[in-house]
Amino acid sequence: QAVVTQEPSLTVSPGGTVTLTCGSSTGAVTSGHYPYWFQQKPGQAPRTMIYETSKKHSWTPARFSGSRLGGKAALTLSGAQPEDEAEYYCLLFYSYAGVFGGGTKLTVL
Amino acid sequence: EVQLVESGGGLVQPGGSLRLSCAASGFTVSSNYMSWVRQAPGKGLEWVSGIYSGGSTYYADSVKGRFTISRDNSKNTLFLQMNSLRGEDTAVYYCAGGHFDHWGQGTLVTVSS
């Protein structure tokens, strides 16, 4: 089974910009992996922020954007807010089976 | 408003079985991709299984051969039959619908003697 890698932790200043990445042990992340990004706060269910690399839901704040960068999927937060402090998980699909990354704990400080 | 409500979790001995349910409202299970995702205490998310609207099913290697995903279209409900349970299956199990647009609140499964 493939391994999906994320930064364990990142810190961003309020109003700052940060990029979280999601890599695959099998090589470059492509659109065929259908990258997802989820936000999870303590005691809550996850919430989808980005799907299929860069698509947003109606509830996704404009400051969040998804892309592919250097062979990885990327989630960029521009203008971080205190409420963005959370755990972020990426999910990639390999022949219809999903694999989550280990998560990135994002601190807004 | 879409609601997904999981049930069926609880304490089970190693080697035992449990069936989880995910009842949907405001949302049609049979017309959408549905999945189960779990989270062990203090750990990250793990994709467990998914079922497409056409009925194709897929599983994580860690549960293949032990877990079965299914749905009852008449009840608009998703199921996860879990057999041969192990300690490492202890987790909160979430159902998610429509390519993860909607999530339930989760149900806790504890595998312990």
Side-chain angles (χ1 to χ4, degrees):
Chain A
Q1 182 167 301
V3 175
V4 176
T5 55
Q6 298 183 244
E7 299 85 2
S9 64
L10 290 170
T11 299
V12 61
S13 300
T17 296
V18 64
T19 297
L20 289 65
T21 67
C22 175
S24 171
S25 63
T26 63
V29 174
T30 70
S31 59
H33 290 103
Y34 302 98
Y36 282 76
W37 288 96
F38 302 88
Q39 178 192 69
Q40 188 180 34
K41 296 182 178 179
Q44 297 183 14
R47 181 172 72 149
T48 310
M49 305 301 281
I50 298 288
Y51 64 102
E52 295 178 13
T53 304
S54 58
K55 297 178 181 178
K56 298 182 184 184
H57 284 294
S58 58
W59 56 79
T60 306
R63 59 185 180 273
F64 287 90
S65 63
S67 64
R68 278 187 291 129
L69 207 62
K72 296 182 178 182
L75 176 70
T76 299
L77 172 56
S78 304
Q81 301 297 310
E83 61 265 30
D84 299 329
E85 185 163 295
E87 193 84 23
Y88 291 83
Y89 295 93
C90 70
L91 171 66
L92 302 179
F93 279 88
Y94 300 84
S95 298
Y96 304 103
V99 180
F100 277 97
T104 296
K105 181 174 175 57
L106 181 67
T107 300
V108 180
L109 188 62
Chain B
E1 181 195 4
V2 174
Q3 270 200 313
L4 300 176
V5 179
E6 301 98 335
S7 60
L11 175 63
V12 61
Q13 292 190 336
S17 298
L18 216 51
R19 188 175 85 151
L20 305 184
S21 300
C22 171
S25 57
F27 184 84
T28 304
V29 167
S30 61
S31 301
N32 287 277
Y33 174 76
M34 301 294 296
S35 54
W36 289 98
V37 173
R38 68 185 181 184
Q39 187 167 36
K43 302 296 184 183
L45 301 174
E46 181 183 11
W47 181 88
V48 173
S49 181
I51 181 168
Y52 285 83
S53 57
S56 299
T57 59
Y58 299 90
Y59 300 92
D61 288 347
S62 58
V63 307
K64 204 171 292 183
R66 301 188 298 125
F67 289 12
T68 303
I69 190 171
S70 64
R71 65 191 182 209
D72 184 329
N73 298 344
S74 66
K75 295 181 179 178
N76 204 30
T77 299
L78 178 73
F79 299 103
L80 185 68
Q81 177 67 43
M82 305 187 295
N83 299 331
S84 303
L85 283 162
R86 307 166 180 166
E88 54 264 38
D89 296 319
T90 294
V92 173
Y93 285 73
Y94 296 100
C95 72
H99 291 280
F100 309 97
D101 300 342
H102 310 287
W103 291 72
Q105 84 290 348
T107 187
L108 176 63
V109 172
T110 303
V111 183
S112 175
S113 54

